[in-house]
Amino acid sequence: QPRLGLVAMSQQEVNVLSPDLSMHMESRAIPEPGVHEVLVAVKSVGICGSDIHYWSHGRIGPYVVESDLVLGHEASGEVVGLGSMVSKLKVGDRVALEPGVPCGDFSGCVQCREGRYNLCPDVRFFATPPIDGAFAQFVTLPEDFAHVLPGSMTFDEGALMEPLSVGVWAARKSSIDASSNVLIAGCGPVGLLTAMVARASGAMSVVLFDINGDRREAAAALGFIALDPSDLGSGSVTPDVFIDCSGNESAIATGIAVIAPAGTVVLVGMAPHSIVGLPVDQIQGKELWVTGTFRYANTYPTAISLVERGLIDVASVVSAHYPLEDAEAALAHSQSHPADLKVIVTID
C-alpha cells in the first residue's frame, strides 16, 4: 500500500522538455502502479550525455523529441506503493531503477527468451522518445527492474548503477581477467567507470587516453594512467583489450592501431554519425575481434555488489547537484564546467 503521506496526493511535479527544446515544470497525475509494478519516489537522477543531446539537438539518431518528454534515466528512489501482485519488494525499500524494460514475451521474443533483453525490439527505455524518464517526483516500474540497495549505499550511488552497468557490460563483452591489458578511450564518466570495473575485474593494467587534459587529471586522481593520444605510439602501450567510450572515429583508429594481434575491441561510445570509418586492414591483419554494445543486460546485481564490497567508488565521479526545478541548469553545467564529471539532479 502507498505510504499514508501519499494517500491524499494526486499530483506530482515533473520537469518537461518541449519539442521546441525549452524546459518547464508542470503538474501531472501520480502514476498508478500496475499489478507487477512499484511506485517509486525518485531521489537522485544522473545527467547522461544522451539527456544533454536531446536537450541540445532534439534527437539521437531515429529517436526524435516530437512531443513533451521527461528526461533522465540514471535514477534511484524509495518504493512508496505496490501493485497487487508485487512479491519481492516492500514499501520503504531503497532501489536503483533499471530504465530499460523489455516486452518479456518469452514465447514470441527471441531476444528476451535468450536473455538478451537489451536487444528486445519493443524495449521501453526511460527518456527515449516517446517514453518519459525520471525527472519527476514519482515513476512506476516493474518490480524486477527495481533493484534493492544495501544500507551502505546512497541514492546518488544507486542512480549511478546505470552508467556503471555500461562498464560492467563492456567488461563482460571483452572478457577481462587477470591477464588483460586494457586500453580505454575517453576519460568521461563512462570511461572512468569502465576503467574501475576493469580494475576490479583484476586486469593486469588499465590505461586511458583523452585529448582533454582536465579529464586526464581526473583519471589520474582516481589512480589510473591517463595519456594524451599522441603518447600511445612506439609500442609504449600494447593492450589486448581496447574499449572505446568516446564514439570518436580518431580515438577508435588510435586504439586499433596499438592493440595486440588477436585482441578484442569493444565499441561503447555513441558516434555522432551512423557511419564511422574503421581500419579494416588492421582488423583483418591482426585478426581482431570487434563488437559493439547496446546498453546492458543482467548487470545491476553485479554493479551493486561491486560498490557494496568497496571495489568501486562511484561517488568519486559526482561533481555537482541541482534540484529538480533547475534540471535545465544541470544539463547546461558542462558548458561552464567542462572538467566536471557527473551531475546529479536531486528530488524532494
Side-chain angles (χ1 to χ4, degrees), residues 88-112:
K88 303 172 186 175
L89 298 174
K90 63 183 184 302
V91 169
D93 280 343
R94 300 160 61 256
V95 291
L97 307 184
E98 184 174 351
V101 179
C103 72
D105 178 7
F106 297 112
S107 62
C109 179
V110 173
Q111 304 304 332
C112 285

Side-chain angles (χ1 to χ4, degrees), residues 181-204:
N181 293 291
V182 181
L183 178 66
I184 297 173
C187 294
V190 170
L192 291 175
L193 291 173
T194 301
M196 291 180 190
V197 175
R199 182 165 61 188
S201 301
M204 186 177 298

Side-chain angles (χ1 to χ4, degrees), residues 1 19 97 108 114 176-177 180 231 241 260 308:
Q1 294 298 315
L97 307 184
E114 296 296 328
I176 293 174
D177 58 25
S180 300
D231 296 328
V241 172
E308 182 183 18

